[in-house]
């Protein structure tokens, strides 16, 4: 059974810092991995999608990497801003088509 | 991309009652997914709804408790039946487009 773990559970940084969020999964047989952002009272916003054959994806200040063989992904956020404060969720898509989520990392960026 | 709306956005319900949540997508999709996010927890898949067939439920979820309808390719409903405080959660509808997951804004349910 696929399990997804995110470390740390919570992170507080001053504005401007670069930071890394970690995600690990137990079964490397995935179709893709997706990073989401969840804001309080709102749904999920997709940030980056990495196909199983890819190593990384970039969007603006965000860079996500995938090492499928070791079951790991990282989300790198450059020059963090207070508006980046949210919960970041990692999810892998397995053979059944559904997404399996980690518990998330709650990020707080202090001005 | 896909734009998903859900109704209601939130509700407070009494124990023993039922609530039906609606999910509308702006394009036709084969599969729609219903997830639950309990307080402090991550998202857990309840069931997958395909048009024209019965929903497929994950372990720990049953049709009597969470009946699902999928009358067409853009709409689905999830009913939370005979509610208890343990059902207090955010319920989210999701679709897949190009192997990418898109989510509705969620329905925040509180059961007293």
């Amino acid at each position: 059974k696929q399990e997804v773990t995110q470390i740390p559970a919570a992170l507080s940084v001053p504005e401007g810092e670069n930071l890394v969020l970690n995600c690990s999964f137990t079964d490397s047989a995935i179709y893709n991995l997706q990073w989401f952002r969840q804001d309080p009272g709102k749904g999920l916003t997709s940030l980056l999608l990495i196909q199983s054959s890819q190593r990384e994806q970039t969007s603006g200040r965000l860079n996500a990497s995938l090492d499928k063989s070791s079951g790991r992904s990282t989300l790198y956020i450059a020059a963090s801003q207070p508006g980046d404060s949210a919960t970041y969720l990692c999810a892998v898509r397995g053979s059944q088509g559904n997404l399996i989520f980690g518990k998330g990392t709650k990020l707080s960026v202090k001005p | 991309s896909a734009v998903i709306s859900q109704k209601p956005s939130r509700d407070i319900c009494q124990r023993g009652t039922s609530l039906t949540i609606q999910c509308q997508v702006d394009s036709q999709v084969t599969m729609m997914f219903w997830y639950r996010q309990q307080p402090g927890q991550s998202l857990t898949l309840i069931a997958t709804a395909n048009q024209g067939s019965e929903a497929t439920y994950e372990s720990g979820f049953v049709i009597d408790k969470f009946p699902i309808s999928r009358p067409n390719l853009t709409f689905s409903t999830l009913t939370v039946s005979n509610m208890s405080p343990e059902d207090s959660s955010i319920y989210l509808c999701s679709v897949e487009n190009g192997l990418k997951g898109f989510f509705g804004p969620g329905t925040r349910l509180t059961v007293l």
Side-chain angles (χ1 to χ4, degrees):
Chain A
K1 179 184 174 185
Q2 178 74 271
E3 292 184 2
V4 180
T5 303
Q6 290 187 246
I7 294 174
L11 182 63
S12 182
V13 300
E15 181 176 5
E17 270 202 11
N18 303 324
L19 57 100
V20 175
L21 308 181
N22 297 291
C23 172
S24 62
F25 46 96
T26 54
D27 185 351
S28 61
I30 63 171
Y31 283 130
N32 58 43
L33 183 146
Q34 199 166 352
W35 283 93
F36 292 89
R37 167 184 174 143
Q38 185 175 31
D39 294 278
K42 298 183 180 180
L44 277 67
T45 301
S46 179
L47 298 173
L48 288 165
L49 172 73
I50 310 177
Q51 300 292 354
S52 61
S53 59
Q54 296 176 324
R55 299 284 293 184
E56 67 176 343
Q57 282 287 322
T58 298
S59 176
R61 294 182 294 109
L62 305 179
N63 176 276
S65 69
L66 174 63
D67 184 343
K68 200 173 77 162
S69 61
S70 67
R72 294 181 181 179
S73 177
T74 61
L75 179 66
Y76 175 82
I77 302 177
S80 58
Q81 302 171 358
D84 295 330
S85 299
T87 296
Y88 289 81
L89 296 169
C90 166
V92 297
R93 185 178 301 280
S95 58
Q96 303 299 317
N98 60 296
L99 289 167
I100 301 164
F101 283 83
K103 290 187 176 181
T105 295
K106 187 173 183 179
L107 173 65
S108 177
V109 181
K110 306 294 186 183
Chain B
S1 66
V3 178
I4 305 170
S5 59
Q6 284 185 233
K7 291 182 182 178
S9 59
R10 59 176 61 227
D11 207 342
I12 300 173
C13 300
Q14 295 296 321
R15 181 195 299 260
T17 62
S18 298
L19 176 72
T20 295
I21 302 167
Q22 299 179 7
C23 176
Q24 180 75 52
V25 188
D26 68 342
S27 58
Q28 293 185 339
V29 292
T30 302
M31 291 192 292
M32 296 177 76
F33 304 92
W34 286 98
Y35 288 83
R36 179 176 75 179
Q37 186 177 30
Q38 293 178 301
Q41 301 297 313
S42 190
L43 281 76
T44 301
L45 181 67
I46 297 171
T48 303
N50 292 319
Q51 195 265 336
S53 63
E54 279 198 1
T56 303
Y57 289 83
E58 297 300 301
S59 175
F61 298 96
V62 295
I63 188 171
D64 290 346
K65 176 68 175 177
F66 297 101
I68 288 172
S69 78
R70 183 78 201 276
N72 57 52
L73 292 174
T74 63
F75 186 80
S76 178
T77 67
L78 169 75
T79 298
V80 186
S81 303
N82 188 24
M83 288 184 284
S84 67
E86 292 71 34
D87 294 320
S88 297
S89 296
I90 299 174
Y91 292 85
L92 297 107
C93 171
S94 172
V95 303
E96 175 188 303
N97 191 332
L99 286 178
K100 191 174 184 180
F102 294 90
F103 284 78
T107 295
R108 183 178 292 271
L109 171 62
T110 301
V111 184
L112 304 177

